[in-house]
C-alpha cells in the first residue's frame, strides 16, 4: 500500500465521554484507533458504582441539552434508540427545599411554573419569568450556534463577524445572579434560578450571565435520565466505536506522550511499551496532561495557576426502604447563600451550612435499587485541593481533615434532609455507604486539584482564552474534554469531540464524514 493510501492511526488517552466519542468519530473517518484508559472501566467520572443490587451514577446524573446527544449518535450513522438507549423524563425537574419549611418545584409544565412563580412574585411575576426565559433562550441559541459548534483557535476567532456582534447579547460581563435579579424581585427566586451555576463549578455571583442557558434547557427541554444509568450513553458510544474498529485497552496507564521533532509520534505506557501513531488525542485531565505527560514547560506551570472549578464530597447510600419525601432531583439551598459560595470558591473550604444536591435514581428508574428500596447520591460542593500545605483551604494531604470534613458533611446533610422534608430516621435506613472526596477524585481520575469540572468557566477562561484543542507546540497532538474548548459537562464534551475531530481531519486534509 502506498504511503498516500496508508491508513492513518490515532491514539486516544483516556476513555471519558469526550474520548470515546472522539475515538468513534475518528474511526468513522477511516483511522485505526486505540484508546488507553488507566482504570478498568470506561466513562471517567461518567461511570457507575454497583453494590449488592444498587446502582449509583458516580458523576453526572441528569441529562441536559438532549439534541447534542442525538447529534453525536446521528453523526455516527446510528441513534440513541438504535443503540438501546432509553431516555426517561424527570418530572418535576427538581424540588428545592428551604429552611423555613417552604419548597419550590421546577418543571417544564407551564401551568405549574405559573402557580409556583406567582406564589412568591405576584401576578406580574410570571410575565417577568417569561422575560427571563426569553433571555435564557437567546443565550442558549447563540451559544449552541456560535460557541459549541465553532472552534476558537486564536484571539482572532472571537472577532468573527458572526460572533463579535452578538457577544454583548450573551451578557458575559454580568453574573448570572445579577441578570436573574433584573427579573425576580424576591431573594428566594433569585436563588431558585441561579443555583445551576454549580454545574459549571462556579458561584452564581461570578458565573457569566450566559449560563442561564442551563436553566433554559431544563425548563424548555426537560431533565432526562438514561435508563440503566448515565453510563449507558458511554457504553453506546463504545459499542459504536468498536463496530468501526476502535480497540480499547483498559487498566493501561500512559506514562508520556512521545515527541520527535516537535511532533507527537505516539505514547509510552507505564510498563515501558511504546506505541506509535499519526495523531494523539488527550482526554485525560488537561492540566494533569501538560504537567505529567509532556516535557516540563512554562505553559504547564501557567495552567496549574489558572482558576479551577470546585470539588465535591459525594455520598452513595444504599437504603433498606424508600424515602417518598424525595423526588429524583432535590436541591437544598443554604440560608447564607452568597457566604456559602464564597467559602467554596474564594476560601476553598466546605461551608458550615452548604447547599447540596440529592439524586434518587430509583425514583425515575426502578432498576437502580432492589424493590421497595432507594439508591441515593448526595453531592456537596466544596473547595478544590490546595497543594503544598497551604495555610488556608483544603489541604491535599491531611487525612485527618478529610475524616472531619466528611463526617461534618454527612451529619449536616442528614439533619437538613430530615428537617426540611420530614423524612424520618434516614441514617438508620443506610445499609451501605461509599464516598468520594477531592482527594479520591484526584487519585482515581487524575483530576488536577480534585476539581471535578476542570478549569473555571469565567470569561477569561473560555472561548479563545481557554486552552486550545490543539497543542500549541507539538504537531499531531490534540485535546478533548472539560478543560479545553468548549468546556465542561457531558453534552459540552460531546460537542467538543466533534470540534476536535474536525480539526484533526482539516489539518490532515481529510474529508469530514458527517454534515456540517
Amino acid at each position: 500500500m502506498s504511503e498516500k493510501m496508508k491508513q492513518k492511526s490515532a491514539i486516544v488517552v483516556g476513555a471519558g465521554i469526550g474520548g470515546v466519542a472522539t475515538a468513534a468519530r475518528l474511526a468513522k473517518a477511516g483511522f485505526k484507533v486505540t484508546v488507553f484508559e488507566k482504570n478498568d472501566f470506561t466513562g471517567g467520572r461518567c461511570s457507575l458504582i454497583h453494590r449488592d443490587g444498587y446502582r449509583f451514577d458516580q458523576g453526572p446524573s441528569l441529562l441536559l441539552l438532549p439534541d447534542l446527544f442525538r447529534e453525536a449518535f446521528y453523526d455516527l450513522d446510528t441513534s440513541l434508540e438504535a443503540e438501546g438507549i432509553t431516555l426517561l423524563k424527570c418530572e418535576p425537574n427538581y424540588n428545592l427545599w428551604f429552611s423555613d419549611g417552604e419548597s419550590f418545584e421546577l418543571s417544564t409544565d407551564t401551568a405549574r411554573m405559573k402557580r409556583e412563580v406567582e406564589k412568591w412574585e405576584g401576578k406580574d411575576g410570571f410575565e417577568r419569568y417569561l422575560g427571563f426565559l426569553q433571555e435564557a433562550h437567546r443565550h442558549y441559541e447563540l451559544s449552541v450556534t456560535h460557541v459549541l459548534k465553532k472552534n476558537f483557535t486564536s484571539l482572532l476567532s472571537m472577532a468573527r463577524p458572526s460572533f463579535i456582534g452578538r457577544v454583548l447579547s450573551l451578557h458575559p460581563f454580568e453574573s448570572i445572579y445579577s441578570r436573574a435579579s433584573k427579573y425576580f424581585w424576591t431573594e428566594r427566586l433569585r436563588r431558585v434560578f441561579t443555583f445551576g451555576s454549580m454545574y459549571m463549578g462556579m458561584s452564581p455571583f461570578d458565573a457569566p450571565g450566559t449560563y442561564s442557558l442551563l436553566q433554559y434547557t431544563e425548563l424548555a427541554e426537560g431533565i432526562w435520565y438514561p435508563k440503566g444509568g448515565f453510563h449507558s450513553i458511554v457504553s453506546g458510544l463504545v459499542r459504536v466505536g468498536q463496530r468501526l474498529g476502535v480497540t480499547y485497552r483498559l487498566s493501561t496507564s500512559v506514562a508520556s506522550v512521545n515527541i520527535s521533532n516537535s511532533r507527537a509520534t505516539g505514547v509510552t505506557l507505564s510498563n515501558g511499551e511504546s506505541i506509535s501513531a499519526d495523531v494523539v488525542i488527550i482526554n485525560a485531565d488537561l492540566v494533569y496532561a501538560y504537567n505529567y505527560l509532556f516535557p516540563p514547560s512554562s505553559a504547564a506551570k501557567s495552567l496549574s495557576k489558572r482558576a479551577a472549578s470546585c470539588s465535591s464530597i459525594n455520598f452513595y447510600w444504599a437504603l433498606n426502604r424508600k424515602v417518598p419525601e424525595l423526588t429524583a432531583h432535590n436541591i437544598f439551598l443554604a440560608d447564607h447563600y452568597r457566604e456559602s459560595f464564597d467559602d467554596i470558591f474564594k476560601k476553598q473550604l466546605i461551608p458550615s451550612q452548604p447547599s447540596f444536591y440529592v439524586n434518587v435514581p430509583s425514583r425515575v428508574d426502578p432498576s437502580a435499587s432492589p424493590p421497595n428500596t432507594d439508591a441515593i447520591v448526595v453531592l456537596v460542593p466544596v473547595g478544590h485541593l490546595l497543594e503544598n500545605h497551604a495555610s488556608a483551604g483544603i489541604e491535599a494531604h491531611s487525612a485527618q481533615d478529610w475524616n472531619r470534613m466528611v463526617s461534618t458533611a454527612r451529619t449536616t446533610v442528614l439533619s437538613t434532609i430530615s428537617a426540611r422534608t420530614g423524612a424520618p430516621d434516614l441514617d438508620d435506613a443506610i445499609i451501605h455507604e461509599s464516598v468520594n472526596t477531592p482527594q479520591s477524585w484526584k487519585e482515581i481520575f487524575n483530576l488536577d486539584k480534585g476539581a471535578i469540572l476542570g478549569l473555571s468557566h469565567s470569561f477569561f477562561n473560555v472561548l479563545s482564552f481557554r486552552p486550545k484543542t490543539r497543542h500549541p507546540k507539538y504537531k499531531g497532538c490534540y485535546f478533548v474534554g472539560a478543560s479545553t474548548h468548549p468546556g465542561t459537562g457531558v453534552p459540552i464534551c460531546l460537542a467538543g469531540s466533534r470540534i476536535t475531530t474536525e480539526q484533526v481531519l482539516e489539518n490532515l486534509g481529510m474529508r469530514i464524514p458527517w454534515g456540517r
Side-chain angles (χ1 to χ4, degrees), residues 315-357:
F315 298 99
Y316 309 90
W317 291 334
L319 271 58
N320 60 12
R321 62 175 176 82
K322 287 191 173 296
V323 184
E325 293 84 357
L326 296 173
T327 55
H329 304 291
N330 306 266
I331 300 290
F332 294 81
L333 295 177
D335 286 338
H336 302 293
Y337 191 59
R338 183 165 196 151
E339 292 81 355
S340 69
F341 284 110
D342 285 347
D343 282 346
I344 296 169
F345 295 101
K346 294 184 178 180
K347 301 176 184 177
Q348 304 304 332
L349 296 168
I350 177 172
S352 57
Q353 188 201 44
S355 298
F356 60 91
Y357 161 69

Side-chain angles (χ1 to χ4, degrees), residues 14 28 70 92 132 154 181 226 241 261 316 323 351 366 371-372 417 426 458 483 510:
K28 177 178 168 59
R70 297 187 185 101
F132 171 80
S154 71
S181 297
N261 296 321
Y316 309 90
V323 184
N372 302 313
I417 292 175
L426 190 59
S458 58
S483 289
M510 297 176 66

Side-chain angles (χ1 to χ4, degrees), residues 147 152 155 158 172-173 200-202 206-208 211 286-287 299 301-310 345 348 384 448-449 451 453-469 481-488 492:
V147 178
F152 285 73
L155 286 173
M158 294 176 64
F173 304 114
M200 312 300 290
M202 294 189 71
D206 298 319
Y211 296 131
L286 184 141
V287 180
K301 293 178 181 178
S302 176
L303 284 169
S304 297
K305 295 177 181 177
R306 283 210 191 189
S309 62
C310 66
F345 295 101
Q348 304 304 332
H384 60 64
D448 182 65
K449 302 181 185 71
L453 297 164
L455 293 173
S456 168
H457 286 74
S458 58
F459 181 75
F460 290 104
N461 259 326
V462 296
L463 305 174
S464 296
F465 303 111
R466 202 161 187 80
K468 304 297 182 283
T469 50
S483 289
T484 190
H485 179 74
T488 196
I492 311 304

Side-chain angles (χ1 to χ4, degrees), residues 363-377:
R363 192 67 69 248
V364 65
D365 181 2
S367 69
S369 69
N372 302 313
T373 68
D374 271 332
I376 289 183
V377 179

Side-chain angles (χ1 to χ4, degrees), residues 264-319:
T265 59
V267 298
T268 297
L269 307 182
S270 55
N271 64 4
E273 181 183 358
S274 182
I275 300 98
S276 298
D278 297 300
V279 172
V280 176
I281 311 292
I282 303 296
N283 183 225
D285 181 86
L286 184 141
V287 180
Y288 167 86
Y290 265 86
N291 279 277
Y292 293 99
L293 301 185
F294 296 99
S297 66
S298 58
K301 293 178 181 178
S302 176
L303 284 169
S304 297
K305 295 177 181 177
R306 283 210 191 189
S309 62
C310 66
S311 189
S312 69
I313 294 174
N314 285 34
F315 298 99
Y316 309 90
W317 291 334
L319 271 58

